[in-house]
Structure formats: structure tokens, C-alpha cells
């Protein structure tokens, strides 16, 4: 790795490797094997001068937010039915959260967008803010979403 690279960010829909119905990924690995391999990757990256950041999985919606928000506007659909709750998100991130001390012991720093996206009044994660979608599919941010979560990623750029 080029010694001039100050930061490396590892980001993924981590739970997708274990908790999904997609036959391509389902059962492709188990949590223990994936955790071992992730920690090995962090050990290898620790040998560089780069600061390694690991992004905790972003809140994943049950349906495409653009479609849900359109249906909510046009047909009165309750969009909250398709937004993950705090409990849903914790369940998906359980294995990751248990691994945080080991990742930090290998020099990684954890980034998390969940707090900024959580709407405590609804006990759900936001799909939109100020009438603008924060996601363009179930787990990828729109341009507005990227701007919205930027404060959660600021530590990478402050150092």
C-alpha cells in the first residue's frame, strides 16, 4: 500500500453475508470465518502507516425507499412499516458489535451513521429528511443522504 495513503475505509453491508435470502451469498461463509478473515485483514493493514476505519453497516431498509416514499405520497402508504427499528439494526449488527474490541485492538477505528439517521420520535431510521430521500436503494445513500451522514464520517477527514 502506498505510504502516502493516510486513511483506508472498509465498508460493506456486513450482514448480507449471513442474513439474507440471496442464494448467491447465503451461506457463502459463517460469522466466525468472516470475523477471522476480517481481523486478519486488519492485522495486515496495521502494518501500513494508514489509519484503518471500519464503517458499521448502515441502517438497511426493507424496501426501496424511493418506491416506498412515492407510495406514501401517492397512496397514503405508511412508510414506517418499511423502515428498520433500532432493534432490527442492532440484531443485524450484533456480530459486528461483538467484534469491535478486537478490531480496535488491531488499530481500527469504527464509524457509525446509525445515530444521525435514527428518528427517536418514530423509533425508526429515516428514509428522507426535508422531503428528500436519503437512500437511492435499500442500503446506499443518495447524494442528499451522503451529505446528511457526513458529520458521522468527519473524523476521517479531521486528522
Amino acid at each position: 500500500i502506498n505510504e502516502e495513503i493516510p486513511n483506508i475505509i472498509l465498508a460493506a453491508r456486513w450482514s448480507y453475508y449471513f442474513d439474507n435470502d440471496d442464494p448467491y451469498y447465503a451461506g457463502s461463509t459463517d460469522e466466525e470465518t468472516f470475523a477471522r478473515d476480517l481481523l486478519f485483514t486488519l492485522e495486515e493493514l496495521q502494518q501500513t502507516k494508514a489509519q484503518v476505519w471500519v464503517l458499521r453497516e448502515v441502517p438497511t431498509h426493507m424496501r426501496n425507499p424511493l418506491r416506498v416514499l412515492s407510495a406514501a405520497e401517492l397512496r397514503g402508504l405508511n412508510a414506517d412499516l418499511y423502515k428498520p427499528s433500532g432493534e432490527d439494526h442492532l440484531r443485524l449488527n450484533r456480530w459486528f458489535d461483538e467484534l469491535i474490541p478486537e478490531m480496535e485492538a488491531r488499530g481500527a477505528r469504527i464509524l457509525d451513521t446509525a445515530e444521525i439517521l435514527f428518528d427517536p420520535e418514530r423509533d425508526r431510521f429515516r428514509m428522507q429528511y426535508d422531503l428528500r430521500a436519503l437512500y437511492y436503494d435499500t442500503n446506499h445513500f443518495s447524494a442528499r443522504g451522503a451529505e446528511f451522514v457526513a458529520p458521522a464520517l468527519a473524523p476521517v477527514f479531521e486528522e
Side-chain angles (χ1 to χ4, degrees):
I1 294 181
N2 184 328
E3 292 183 16
E4 295 179 22
I5 298 174
N7 294 292
I8 298 171
I9 301 173
L10 302 179
R13 185 173 174 187
W14 306 107
S15 68
Y16 200 66
Y17 293 96
F18 327 113
D19 187 22
N20 70 79
D21 296 325
D22 186 333
Y24 181 77
Y25 288 102
S28 62
T29 189
D30 57 72
E31 292 177 13
E32 184 177 328
T33 301
F34 193 84
R36 182 198 67 217
D37 292 346
L38 177 58
L39 293 174
F40 175 77
T41 299
L42 293 175
E43 288 169 7
E44 292 295 308
L45 291 173
Q46 194 175 29
Q47 297 174 30
T48 71
K49 293 181 180 181
Q51 173 62 60
V52 178
W53 303 82
V54 183
L55 179 63
R56 189 170 181 252
E57 184 171 332
V58 302
T60 302
H61 295 282
M62 294 164 234
R63 297 282 184 266
N64 183 308
L66 298 177
R67 291 182 179 164
V68 170
L69 294 170
S70 294
E73 185 66 28
L74 296 172
R75 297 191 309 255
L77 175 81
N78 180 359
D80 286 351
L81 297 173
Y82 299 95
K83 299 174 184 178
S85 67
E87 186 177 309
D88 294 335
H89 188 62
L90 285 173
R91 181 185 59 79
L92 284 177
N93 280 281
R94 176 194 49 78
W95 79 273
F96 184 92
D97 293 343
E98 291 173 358
L99 203 58
I100 287 175
E102 292 185 62
M103 290 189 282
E104 291 176 335
R106 288 159 176 82
R109 295 184 59 193
I110 308 303
L111 298 166
D112 189 4
T113 61
E115 185 176 331
I116 201 165
L117 289 165
F118 192 68
D119 180 352
E121 291 178 17
R122 295 190 175 325
D123 189 34
R124 300 278 173 198
F125 287 94
R126 292 177 173 90
M127 284 184 176
Q128 68 178 2
Y129 189 78
D130 287 341
L131 301 176
R132 294 179 64 196
L134 299 176
Y135 292 76
Y136 73 84
D137 65 13
T138 60
N139 65 304
H140 292 98
F141 294 122
S142 64
R144 174 64 180 127
E147 291 171 1
F148 191 81
V149 301
L153 308 177
V156 175
F157 305 102
E158 291 173 350
E159 308 213 357

